[in-house]
């Protein structure tokens, strides 16, 4: 008769780890390990790679200090951490707007010789679109920009974005719709990057 195989318990969810960290603070390191790369990427996309380390460090330090207030009914800490990161980024709004405006002002980078003509044309068109998009995003009100970038950069659903920002689902939906309309107008009536089917609900 074969020996019974041992069953490996599933990795605890974030809520379990956070609750355990109330008494064993070192356990919070598992939340850091699970989500650091994603939060760092989000910060880097919004403020640039030089600011991302500081934004991430502050985000996780705040999360650690606020862990006793975490809603344990939410198994994933991902929206919560994005919310904290977005709040930290909000203190750097001028830097973000400056970065977006710089992208718009710099214009397309020169293309090295020898590239295929169609590829060069597509690259220049893409970079012009990027400039216009950067300018339009910089002009959005902060609350619309936060919702747009949480959904577009992080792939959060509307529900997760609502949790991250601590606002109702309907508020996320209306802010995103207003932002999308402004971007479509800036892009001449079309914005394939933010069509309804590409947004995670």
């Amino acid at each position: 008769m074969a020996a019974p195989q041992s069953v490996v318990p599933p990795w605890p969810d974030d809520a379990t780890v956070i609750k355990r960290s109330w008494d064993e603070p070192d356990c919070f390191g598992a939340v850091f390990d699970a989500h650091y790369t994603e939060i760092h990427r989000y910060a880097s996309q919004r403020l640039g790679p030089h600011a991302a380390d500081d934004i991430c460090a502050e985000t996780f330090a705040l999360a650690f200090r606020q862990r006793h207030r975490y809603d344990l009914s939410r198994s994933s800490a991902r929206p919560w951490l994005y919310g904290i990161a977005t709040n930290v980024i909000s203190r750097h709004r001028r830097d973000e707007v400056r970065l977006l405006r710089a992208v718009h002002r710099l214009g397309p980078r020169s293309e090295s010789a020898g590239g295929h003509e169609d590829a060069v044309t597509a690259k220049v068109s893409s970079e012009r679109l990027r400039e216009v998009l950067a300018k339009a995003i910089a002009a959005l009100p902060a609350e619309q920009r936060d919702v747009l970038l949480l959904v577009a950069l992080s792939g959060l659903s509307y529900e997760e974005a609502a949790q991250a920002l601590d606002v109702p689902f309907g508020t996320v939906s209306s802010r995103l719709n207003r932002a999308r309309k402004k971007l479509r107008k800036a892009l001449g009536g079309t914005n394939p990057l933010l069509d309804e089917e590409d947004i995670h609900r």
Side-chain angles (χ1 to χ4, degrees):
M1 185 171 172
Q5 293 184 338
S6 61
V7 177
V8 177
W11 183 255
D13 61 24
D14 291 334
T16 303
V17 172
I18 290 170
K19 184 176 181 182
R20 187 182 302 159
S21 78
W22 294 353
D23 298 318
E24 302 172 51
D26 287 349
C27 290
F28 195 81
V31 174
F32 177 91
D33 292 341
H35 298 285
Y36 177 84
T37 301
E38 188 175 0
I39 298 299
H40 190 278
R41 182 170 52 246
Y42 172 66
S44 180
Q45 289 171 319
R46 289 199 62 171
L47 292 175
H50 298 298
D53 289 345
D54 290 340
I55 296 296
C56 247
E58 190 173 349
T59 295
F60 282 96
L62 283 168
F64 179 77
R65 289 197 298 271
Q66 297 171 10
R67 69 192 190 281
H68 289 90
R69 299 200 308 251
Y70 182 75
D71 181 352
L72 295 174
S73 69
R74 294 176 177 168
S75 61
S76 173
R78 186 171 174 252
W80 178 63
L81 292 168
Y82 271 111
I84 294 171
T86 300
N87 287 336
V88 172
I89 288 167
S90 73
R91 296 200 286 271
H92 301 267
R93 294 247 185 248
R94 277 183 270 187
D95 295 336
E96 181 176 43
V97 170
R98 195 177 303 121
L99 180 66
L100 288 165
R101 287 181 179 156
V103 168
H104 168 69
R105 279 194 312 273
L106 289 175
R109 295 182 289 274
S110 60
E111 190 70 36
S112 60
H116 189 273
E117 186 176 325
D118 289 342
V120 171
T121 301
K123 174 99 170 144
V124 169
S125 296
S126 172
E127 291 198 0
R128 285 193 181 132
L129 175 65
R130 184 170 169 251
E131 295 164 42
V132 174
L133 190 58
K135 182 180 180 183
I137 291 171
L140 289 174
E143 67 275 2
Q144 291 176 23
R145 188 165 61 244
D146 284 344
V147 169
L148 174 75
L149 296 179
L150 274 171
V151 172
L153 296 180
S154 309
L156 293 185
S157 67
Y158 284 28
E159 186 62 43
E160 289 172 324
Q163 288 177 23
L165 298 173
D166 197 23
V167 297
F169 179 95
T171 301
V172 166
S173 182
S174 64
R175 287 178 185 175
L176 192 55
N177 284 334
R178 285 196 292 270
R180 190 184 300 121
K181 284 177 186 174
K182 290 174 184 174
L183 294 185
R184 280 200 181 108
K185 184 177 180 183
L187 294 172
T190 179
N191 187 355
L193 298 176
L194 292 169
D195 281 344
E196 197 70 38
E197 62 267 24
D198 294 331
I199 297 293
H200 301 279
R201 284 191 180 272

